Amino acid sequence: TACSPCRLRATPCSPPAPAAPRLCRQSLPAAHSIMTDPECAVAGVQLVDDQTSHTLLLFLSFLLLSFVGGAIAIAGAMPPDPSVHWPGHSWIHFMKRLHVIFSIGCFLMNLCACFFSVFALHRTLAGGFDMRGRSAAEVLLRELEYEYVAVSVYYFAGMMLLMGPVGIRCFCMVQQGLRSDTLAAAVMCLIVGVVLLILSFFNAHLVHTPFASFAHLCLRFIELSLARCFGGGKPAVTLLLA
């Protein structure tokens, strides 16, 4: 019989090289999932899809909510009449000024959130970077971290400042209608509890990001802003002046 090629060699035949692993990337349709691809399901690899639509929807929601919050703040910037709601109280002027400061601060925060949302939308539509990822959070933290952090900080801080005028007006309504400072103070404590509840839910919402809390998010925003300030160029000078 004829000798096989392996018998003519001094060394035994090596096993065949393993086939290259199949990549589950953008070649698959957007509706494709791990459960519909046996090879991906066995390998435990998550699909990498285009996250452009999810990113656009996220920043669009920030834009609309910030616009509504800013409109509410500027519409209710005028404080209640102290002679009607706080007769006889020595701190009426302090409450009046605090109401105006909170309202203006809320409006400015939401205005910044609107502008950052618009810039993020335009940058996403213009393209120029990879929008593929396992989730929208992954793409945001990789390609649009500064915009995402800035919008989140400005929007949430603006909504928290809005609770100041709301609390003052609720205090006025209770104090004027029931003539009870104790009950009005209880209403203020209830509003503070609601604010803390919202803050806890916001912190829980950050579970898919590397940020542990709203304070950590603010520190990251300051860090990114300082990095841009000292990064050089005209945009850095403008940001430093701001």
Side-chain angles (χ1 to χ4, degrees):
T1 59
C3 294
S4 62
C6 294
R7 295 180 179 179
L8 297 179
R9 297 177 183 176
T11 58
C13 293
S14 60
R22 182 176 178 272
L23 297 179
C24 305
R25 295 188 66 85
Q26 187 60 24
S27 59
L28 297 175
H32 200 81
S33 63
I34 299 177
M35 299 304 296
T36 59
D37 190 352
E39 296 185 19
C40 293
V42 173
V45 180
Q46 295 184 0
L47 292 175
V48 179
D49 294 330
D50 187 7
Q51 303 294 335
T52 302
S53 60
H54 298 123
T55 303
L56 291 174
L57 287 175
L58 186 141
F59 284 115
L60 184 60
S61 65
F62 272 122
L63 176 62
L64 295 177
L65 294 174
S66 301
F67 178 81
V68 173
I72 294 175
I74 202 64
M78 293 302 297
D81 186 6
S83 62
V84 176
H85 297 93
W86 304 310
H89 287 279
S90 59
W91 37 264
I92 55 176
H93 297 291
F94 169 75
M95 295 290 286
K96 182 179 179 179
R97 291 179 174 87
L98 193 64
H99 184 284
V100 174
I101 291 173
F102 276 152
S103 299
I104 295 176
C106 174
F107 172 74
L108 294 178
M109 287 290 183
N110 282 283
L111 183 64
C112 291
C114 285
F115 275 108
F116 271 98
S117 298
V118 170
F119 296 153
L121 288 172
H122 289 179
R123 188 181 176 193
T124 303
L125 293 173
F129 43 85
D130 188 10
M131 293 298 296
R132 295 176 299 176
R134 293 186 296 269
S135 64
E138 177 185 342
V139 175
L140 288 170
L141 295 176
R142 187 184 67 236
E143 305 290 349
L144 297 166
E145 183 184 8
Y146 184 71
E147 289 80 359
Y148 171 69
V149 170
V151 170
S152 300
V153 169
Y154 278 128
Y155 170 73
F156 189 76
M159 291 297 100
M160 292 298 98
L161 288 177
L162 183 61
M163 299 303 294
V166 170
I168 293 175
R169 287 186 176 274
C170 291
F171 180 88
C172 295
M173 294 170 59
V174 175
Q175 200 277 335
Q176 181 191 20
L178 301 177
R179 299 297 178 179
S180 174
D181 292 341
T182 303
L183 186 58
V187 171
M188 292 292 291
C189 292
L190 179 62
I191 293 176
V192 172
V194 171
V195 171
L196 295 177
L197 181 64
I198 295 174
L199 180 61
S200 66
F201 273 98
F202 183 84
N203 292 335
H205 178 70
L206 299 174
V207 65
H208 297 295
T209 65
F211 311 112
S213 62
F214 178 68
H216 189 193
L217 194 67
C218 293
L219 291 177
R220 181 57 178 168
F221 177 55
I222 295 174
E223 180 182 356
L224 293 174
S225 299
L226 291 177
R228 291 200 170 196
C229 287
F230 299 109
K234 293 182 179 180
V237 175
T238 305
L239 183 60
L240 185 61
L241 292 176

